[in-house]
Amino acid sequence: MIRVGITGYGTIGKRVADAVALQPDMTVSGVAKASPDYAAVGALEAGYSLYAVDEAGAEAFRAVGLEVTGDLAALVEASDVVVDATPAGVGAENRRLYERYDTPALFQGGEDASVADVSFNARANYEEAVDAEYVRVVSCNTTGLSRVVAPLEETFGIEKVRATLVRRGGDPSQTTRGPINDIVPSPVSLPSHHGPDVRTVFPDLEIDTVGLTVPTTLMHVHAVNVTLEDVPDSSAAVRDRFADEDRLLLVPEYAGIDGTGQLKDLALDAGRSRGDVWENAIWEASISLSGRDCYFIQAIHQESDVVPENVDAIRAVTGHLGSSESQALTNETLGIGVSQFSGRSGQPLDRQPAD
Ligand code: NAD
């Protein structure tokens, strides 16, 4: 069993902990939090050992009656791998501790790419992370783009990607984020930093991105244009290529899903933990071709698409399973895959209901 410690138990950390707990080859050695709150209570109720970041934090936990197992160093010592899901920049500081205990660590997309040896997406470059000491699981947006770039590059070749990222203002639990009534170019200077981040996974990819931030907490939406090297026979060829990918969910027209609210509703109806949508949700009707230019629109659930990637990265750094075995096991345990993502009727989304 791979013992996995999780540092930072917020949006990403709590989801990674629950996903790790579902794996037959992993166990959660504990979670470290900075301060006592409802999430700390939830961690204990979920059966995870709670570790404090420092002595002051430990005192604060004890003061409200929450049992603390130890400090951050004790968690690292009790773990074979640490998943650092702390706010951007904290992971780079924590790296010194992981080095001291010679413990492999995963960092998240908010960290600078230089924090790790490899920027990781399971579909694109699993092998590069095998036996690496430090791996950065790329951001939600970069994960979403990497999952479509990999199959398109392999099948048709890519001349250039252009993507407009309509980004959520904040996560549902982030009370201080915005905007609440605006559409904000973010950043104003073009192209945005997202393209270079995708190049940490695909160094040779031509890609330009534009970012806008809007008043929603639900999901990001990407409008993507990929100029392909080889012309597919039809848009159906692109659709069929996407349909082969477990972490791409094709949303058929008949499902009547006209926005991210209904995608989240579907996930909740399907009984998914926290209403998570781990896959890229691609509107099938949006997949179009104009010469070598392919267009499509996809929704990315920022809170959860990196979760299966973290699980696979744990297996990569421990050299425990190969790429396809790990992804298949992660998909099976989480319930990822079109046939399991059913609507109210229990009808898998990739099939037209029979007449
Ligand atoms: P979050 O603020 O929801 O959670 C961070 C957690 O870390 C909190 O529980 C906080 O109390 C804890 N913490 C703060 N300082 C700490 C320390 N010194 N030691 C241990 N714990 C500490 O943040 P998040 O949204 O989960 O983001 C975590 C990382 O994941 C960031 O790098 C972020 O960029 C990245 N990421 C976030 C999203 C998203 O949409 N939320 C998506 C993909 C990647």
Side-chain angles (χ1 to χ4, degrees):
M1 289 292 248
I2 309 168
R3 298 169 305 157
V4 182
I6 289 127
T7 316
Y9 194 72
T11 301
I12 302 299
K14 65 172 85 165
R15 287 173 166 80
V16 171
D18 290 354
V20 165
L22 289 172
Q23 305 308 308
D25 51 350
M26 298 182 194
T27 180
V28 178
S29 48
V31 303
K33 265 197 65 56
S35 49
D37 60 8
Y38 69 98
V41 176
L44 286 170
E45 285 179 352
Y48 305 139
S49 300
L50 190 60
Y51 290 74
V53 171
D54 50 28
E55 196 39 49
E59 281 304 313
F61 283 119
R62 288 190 198 106
V64 295
L66 299 182
E67 188 190 337
V68 185
T69 303
D71 62 8
L72 198 49
L75 175 61
V76 178
E77 215 171 356
S79 305
D80 300 313
V81 180
V82 173
V83 177
D84 191 302
T86 56
V90 178
E93 289 170 22
N94 286 345
R95 180 176 153 151
R96 284 189 285 276
L97 181 68
Y98 310 143
E99 284 171 348
R100 198 179 320 144
Y101 286 89
D102 201 16
T103 302
L106 311 185
F107 300 95
Q108 306 304 311
E111 300 296 327
D112 191 86
S114 62
V115 76
D117 316 317
V118 182
S119 285
F120 177 88
N121 171 257
R123 176 63 180 79
N125 66 348
Y126 186 100
E127 286 76 14
E128 287 176 35
V130 171
D131 295 331
E133 281 288 298
Y134 303 108
V135 167
R136 182 181 73 120
V137 176
V138 290
S139 74
C140 46
N141 283 308
T142 301
T143 295
L145 288 168
S146 297
R147 286 177 179 167
V148 289
V149 164
L152 290 178
E153 171 68 27
E154 287 162 15
T155 310
F156 306 108
I158 291 178
E159 187 176 301
K160 177 146 188 161
V161 178
R162 298 171 182 85
T164 300
L165 315 183
V166 182
R167 302 156 66 201
R168 58 84 176 105
D171 295 339
S173 63
Q174 291 176 315
T175 51
T176 57
R177 297 278 293 256
I180 56 172
N181 183 25
D182 212 338
I183 300 169
V184 182
S186 58
V188 172
S189 55
L190 302 177
S192 74
H193 59 276
H194 303 94
D197 199 49
V198 177
R199 272 198 293 273
T200 64
V201 180
F202 300 91
D204 301 326
L205 185 71
E206 280 290 317
I207 177 167
D208 282 340
T209 49
V210 174
L212 301 163
T213 304
V214 297
T216 179
T217 62
L218 297 175
M219 298 176 88
H220 304 302
V221 169
H222 297 171
V224 187
N225 162 217
V226 184
T227 306
L228 300 166
E229 285 175 349
D230 299 333
V231 188
D233 294 339
S234 65
S235 58
V238 177
R239 182 250 176 241
D240 291 348
R241 187 64 194 81
F242 284 162
D244 285 342
E245 299 284 321
D246 282 334
R247 293 184 190 172
L248 301 183
L249 170 72
L250 291 174
V251 179
E253 259 185 299
Y254 83 82
I257 293 175
D258 58 15
T260 56
Q262 288 177 345
L263 276 171
K264 290 285 290 166
D265 195 36
L266 172 66
L268 287 163
D269 285 353
R272 287 196 165 197
S273 163
R274 300 186 175 94
D276 283 346
V277 184
W278 297 293
E279 308 92 333
N280 296 21
I282 301 175
W283 276 276
E284 208 172 301
S286 74
I287 302 172
S288 321
L289 267 186
S290 172
R292 288 191 294 125
D293 278 321
C294 169
Y295 297 88
F296 58 92
I297 299 172
Q298 64 177 3
I300 301 297
H301 186 217
Q302 76 283 353
E303 295 174 286
S304 69
D305 73 331
V306 299
V307 171
E309 309 298 330
N310 273 275
V311 173
D312 291 327
I314 292 166
R315 294 204 184 90
V317 297
T318 54
H320 177 56
L321 280 184
S323 171
S324 46
E325 294 97 328
S326 176
Q327 290 177 70
L329 184 54
T330 306
N331 293 347
E332 187 192 328
T333 49
L334 293 187
I336 291 176
V338 180
S339 62
Q340 299 194 34
F341 194 17
S342 308
R344 278 188 189 83
S345 63
Q347 175 69 40
L349 261 188
D350 64 338
R351 300 205 175 75
Q352 291 283 347
D355 290 334

